Amino acid sequence: MSLRIAAAIAAHLSGALLTEQSTTAHAPAEHMAAELASQPQTWARAAELRAEQAQLPARGARIAVVGCGTSWFIAQSYAWLRESGGHGETDAFAASEAFVDRGYDAVVALSRSGTTTEVLQLVGELRDRVRTIGIIGDESSPLVDLADTAVTLPFADERSVVQTRFATTALALFRASLGEDLTGAIADAERAVAEELPAVLTDAEQYTFLGRDWAVGLAHEAALKMREASQSWTESYPSMEYRHGPIAIAAPGRVTWQFGEAPEGLDTDVAATGAHFEAGRLDPMAELVRAQRVALARARAKGLDPDSPRNLTRSVILDA
Ligand code: F1P
């Protein structure tokens, strides 16, 4: 890590610690519950941010989108939507495994915290070589100064360690920037926040999330959310990969949860195993909200606090 980046992180962290000390105690999962429920509003707000959307790479640009954890999965969804919509070649990489010497016109770096080491390192290495655009939750973070362009979404930043609304709000911004009308997705999110969850979803022994196209990234994110918040056993795959081995795990008391339209016959294949097939009927981003609620319900039932989960921190900051 360069001295410049390390110093910026140290300065940021000393500020963050002061903020933390002045924070009053809160009930377990209080932040995650509130942040999760606010997603219809934060998506609507992102859809309105025309100036911020205009900062994203123009139509025709060849780009890569990078991030870690949740942000990497959102990068995958954006990449699929952008390229399939005819806006230009778009690759998605984990920041630690990115091939960025491919003549890209720009690299988009997604990070709620703006402090994730692998993201800062990559953006630092690209300085003066490739235009970088940061999509960032914390507007006082080091990534804001390091990226050539910073698009900040402070209204979607979060107190919970487990991310919910920043990730989906960034994707709402991306979708709107590609010309999509989010009215239907927002209405679906309102349903996802309000409707009761069936016990077959909250009480299962194991979960496999599936998606096609842009929903593959969201299936991976749902599985990560369930692990992070509730320590549940989850897996995730592109839907058509499920029959190629992973279906071996399906059994009574377990859930196979499809985001978006299911491949022909998959529901009957899963039913034959005795597992529950959840055919997600909402916009896949709203279906993710339902999975976040299952994660929250399971965390509460187990006495866990997803605002500060075991073994996790808000971002991964590695030693210099
Ligand atoms: C990325 C991230 C989170 C994950 C964990 C560590 O954070 O990988 O997705 O839940 O808490 O950090 P960021 O770069 O988006 O801030």
Side-chain angles (χ1 to χ4, degrees):
M1 193 187 309
S2 81
L3 279 177
R4 190 157 164 269
I5 299 173
I9 291 180
H12 179 77
L13 283 182
S14 61
L17 285 178
L18 282 177
T19 316
E20 202 53 47
Q21 280 157 10
S22 58
T23 302
T24 47
H26 71 280
E30 179 186 319
H31 296 316
M32 182 185 179
E35 288 154 3
L36 187 166
S38 71
Q39 289 174 103
Q41 291 80 50
T42 57
W43 299 2
R45 193 159 166 189
E48 297 297 314
L49 298 179
R50 296 293 166 206
E52 284 79 354
Q53 291 163 28
Q55 311 248 58
L56 294 169
R59 195 181 183 92
R62 286 186 64 246
I63 71 163
V65 192
V66 301
C68 296
T70 292
S71 294
W72 174 36
F73 299 139
I74 298 300
Q76 292 174 9
S77 292
Y78 175 39
W80 195 94
L81 286 169
R82 186 174 183 276
E83 182 155 334
S84 69
H87 295 265
E89 273 180 49
T90 313
D91 295 315
F93 298 108
S96 55
E97 300 288 346
F99 290 97
V100 282
D101 290 324
R102 289 181 166 176
Y104 291 121
D105 298 311
V107 170
V108 174
L110 181 62
S111 176
R112 176 182 70 169
S113 63
T115 56
T116 297
T117 298
E118 297 95 316
V119 173
L120 292 178
Q121 264 173 352
L122 186 66
V123 172
E125 283 162 22
L126 292 174
R127 230 179 145 71
D128 303 324
R129 289 204 287 136
V130 182
R131 180 176 167 233
T132 54
I133 304 163
I135 313 297
I136 308 156
D138 182 347
E139 55 190 352
S140 68
S141 65
L143 185 57
V144 171
D145 292 330
L146 197 62
D148 295 320
T149 301
V151 174
T152 59
L153 306 173
F155 65 90
D157 199 0
E158 296 167 284
R159 303 287 297 279
S160 174
V161 163
V162 169
Q163 276 199 51
T164 53
R165 76 175 176 200
F166 177 74
T168 59
T169 304
L171 187 53
L173 182 89
F174 293 141
R175 291 174 72 179
S177 80
L178 300 174
E180 198 177 335
D181 177 1
L182 293 184
T183 312
I186 292 166
D188 278 359
E190 274 157 5
R191 282 181 56 191
V193 164
E195 280 178 8
E196 203 169 323
L197 295 168
V200 71
L201 289 186
T202 53
D203 299 351
E205 179 194 31
Q206 187 274 341
Y207 301 79
T208 300
F209 293 93
L210 305 177
R212 302 194 74 177
D213 310 333
W214 69 283
V216 175
L218 297 181
H220 291 323
E221 168 56 10
L224 179 69
K225 211 59 9 186
M226 293 276 288
R227 291 192 285 268
E228 288 182 326
S230 65
Q231 297 167 22
S232 301
W233 173 19
T234 63
E235 306 194 3
S236 53
Y237 304 94
S239 305
M240 290 301 287
E241 282 297 304
Y242 188 56
R243 297 180 178 105
H244 294 272
I247 196 170
I249 297 299
R254 299 180 181 177
V255 168
T256 303
W257 191 336
Q258 170 73 33
F259 283 20
E261 201 179 329
E264 178 89 34
L266 192 61
D267 50 353
T268 39
D269 291 348
V270 172
T273 71
H276 171 73
F277 185 77
E278 180 72 4
R281 300 193 194 289
L282 303 180
D283 178 281
M285 215 160 75
E287 208 58 39
L288 172 61
V289 174
R290 291 181 77 224
Q292 293 168 345
R293 284 189 59 214
V294 171
L296 176 63
R298 289 174 65 82
R300 284 181 161 151
K302 290 178 168 180
L304 303 173
D305 181 6
D307 287 349
S308 355
R310 185 182 70 172
N311 307 343
L312 299 176
T313 47
R314 174 170 156 84
S315 70
V316 173
I317 300 174
L318 303 171
D319 289 339

